Amino acid sequence: MKALVTGFEPFGGDAINPSWEAVRRLPAQVGKLDVATAMLPVSFRHAPRELSALIRREKPHIVLCVGLAADRPHISIERLAVNLMDARMPDNEGAQPSDEVIVNRGEPAFFATMPVMRIVDALQRAGLKAEQSLSAGAFVCNRVFYGLMLEEPRHKLLHKAGFMHVPALPASRTAQTRAIDRLVMALEITLEVTRRSIRSEEHTSELQSHH
């Protein structure tokens, strides 16, 4: 089984983006999962296209996209991708859509197919500060998440997809290192819980087919 995990490039004058700093430190193997990683641009136009190309190339069973929510104190597992672009600031290419839909007459929202509550519970039990979040906002993170959920039905291997927001890093270098280590741990737990949910569903399906 294979997972694709993406983070974002730096944005808004920052030297680094904690989403990518964590994602790029993931090992190529997490438990029984092969892991591919990639950095997406902070671009309404190009990030969804690059994600779509990555999914076609990697053919993953799981896709986890990760972004920065600097105003949130905890790791957030998103429940909904919404059909809305409403940017308080421009993206890295200067685009700043306001009150625009992503897809005309498209679904108002998509639920993540990852087991959000099980992931949050597992993260908390591991001593990490994590919570569920209702939606991924209306900036590039949400645009990528909505595009991901549009992609999911098109790829027969893709079982589970979702989005994680991570908080800003602390100021000191030592504290940053510890924080990134915790984010990597959160990514690994999220992938493992998701992998187990797929196996559980497959096992249930097999049992039902025998009756």
Side-chain angles (χ1 to χ4, degrees), residues 160-172:
K160 301 288 181 188
F163 198 99
M164 175 192 289
H165 265 123
V166 300
L169 295 175
S172 82

Side-chain angles (χ1 to χ4, degrees), residues 37-75:
T37 59
M39 183 176 69
L40 298 178
V42 180
S43 163
F44 281 100
R45 182 180 180 188
H46 290 108
R49 295 179 182 178
E50 292 195 16
L51 178 61
S52 179
L54 285 164
I55 291 171
R56 290 196 302 272
R57 186 182 78 199
E58 300 294 343
K59 298 179 173 57
H61 303 83
I62 296 167
V63 179
L64 173 62
C65 296
V66 187
L68 169 65
D71 58 343
R72 300 188 193 180
H74 304 318
I75 295 165

Side-chain angles (χ1 to χ4, degrees), residues 6 23 42 72 75 83 132 154 169:
T6 67
V23 168
V42 180
R72 300 188 193 180
I75 295 165
N83 190 10
Q132 62 159 316
R154 302 173 188 168
L169 295 175

Side-chain angles (χ1 to χ4, degrees), residues 20-151:
W20 176 239
E21 292 306 305
V23 168
R24 74 185 183 91
R25 286 170 170 78
L26 277 172
Q29 191 90 22
V30 174
K32 296 179 180 178
L33 272 175
D34 294 326
V35 178
T37 59
M39 183 176 69
L40 298 178
V42 180
S43 163
F44 281 100
R45 182 180 180 188
H46 290 108
R49 295 179 182 178
E50 292 195 16
L51 178 61
S52 179
L54 285 164
I55 291 171
R56 290 196 302 272
R57 186 182 78 199
E58 300 294 343
K59 298 179 173 57
H61 303 83
I62 296 167
V63 179
L64 173 62
C65 296
V66 187
L68 169 65
D71 58 343
R72 300 188 193 180
H74 304 318
I75 295 165
S76 302
I77 309 300
E78 302 296 347
R79 301 192 78 171
L80 289 172
V82 297
N83 190 10
L84 176 66
M85 295 182 290
D86 195 23
R88 291 177 297 167
M89 62 194 78
D91 68 10
N92 277 353
E93 296 186 326
Q96 191 174 5
S98 176
D99 197 26
E100 295 180 23
V101 296
I102 296 169
V103 178
N104 285 323
R105 302 185 184 87
E107 289 290 331
F110 290 106
F111 280 99
T113 47
M114 284 183 167
V116 172
M117 299 309 295
R118 270 181 276 171
I119 291 168
V120 171
D121 181 60
L123 294 175
Q124 291 175 345
R125 281 189 284 108
L128 299 169
K129 294 179 178 178
E131 60 194 4
Q132 62 159 316
S133 168
L134 183 59
S135 87
F139 195 54
V140 177
C141 288
N142 176 74
R143 176 64 188 90
V144 164
F145 187 15
Y146 192 89
L148 169 59
M149 303 318 295
L150 287 173
E151 290 285 339

